[in-house]
Amino acid sequence: DVTITNDGATILKLLEVEHPAAKVLVELADLQDQEVGDGTTSVVIIAAELLKNADDLVKCKIHPTSIISGYRLACKEAVKYIQDHLTIPVDQLGRDCLVNVAKTSMSSKIIGPDSDFFSNMVVEAANAIKTSDGKGGHRYPVKAINVLKAHGGSSRESKLVNGYALNCTIASQAMPQKIVEPKIACLDFNLQKAKMHMGIQVLIEDPTH
């Protein structure tokens, strides 16, 4: 199989890595991809640099436990500094800033040339799933956004559906292509056609009853 990608997590995932430390870096990139969806290459570079500096400290006869404790303390201080000085609530950023953030994330992806088109779509989708967390803040459950892929179309033909979309085809060309304000029935049993005994037939003359 041939995989064409410039995504760091995808490249690392396809490598057959045997070294224990290298496996940790692969898992780190995969975790970053699942949690954030971007910055997979950056976390690997930062982690590799931390390992490099830790190796120098080990060569200076410093016990690994002391190095780990130092890194954990540095991590707490770094997170505290970010929260106190570098964190801005999303509500204060404004739409233009959010669009620019989306463009930055897409710049290294395949859809980078169409970032103007997709960035606005992404911001609209994120705002559509905005919910209150009950503590005065808001949550954005990204898993509530689904991407349906259709073959044969251009990426510029993508559109945002404010609702629930199913990627399926019609059973017959005679069926209507579009229904406005339909009534939807949610069934928990199979609708498969069944042959009734004794030659009994059920004919529906008025489906509204």
Side-chain angles (χ1 to χ4, degrees), residues 53-84:
N53 291 329
D55 185 48
D56 294 337
L57 293 173
V58 170
K59 291 177 181 177
C60 294
K61 306 299 182 182
I62 300 176
H63 198 276
T65 306
S66 301
I67 298 173
I68 294 171
S69 300
Y71 275 159
R72 284 178 176 165
L73 180 60
C75 179
K76 289 181 180 178
E77 292 297 322
V79 171
K80 182 180 178 183
Y81 181 84
I82 291 172
Q83 291 176 340
D84 294 342

Side-chain angles (χ1 to χ4, degrees), residues 97-160:
C97 187
L98 294 176
V99 170
N100 289 332
V101 169
K103 286 181 181 179
T104 302
S105 297
M106 295 177 190
S107 60
S108 61
K109 310 302 179 186
I110 295 177
I111 59 174
D114 297 322
S115 59
D116 290 334
F117 173 75
F118 284 103
S119 57
N120 286 285
M121 185 184 296
V122 167
V123 173
E124 288 179 21
N127 287 326
I129 60 169
K130 179 181 178 182
T131 57
S132 175
D133 61 358
K135 301 177 182 177
H138 296 92
R139 294 176 61 252
Y140 296 85
V142 180
K143 291 184 178 179
I145 301 175
N146 295 320
V147 179
L148 298 179
K149 300 177 182 178
H151 296 287
S154 168
S155 60
R156 300 282 297 187
E157 295 179 41
S158 302
K159 61 181 179 180
L160 177 65

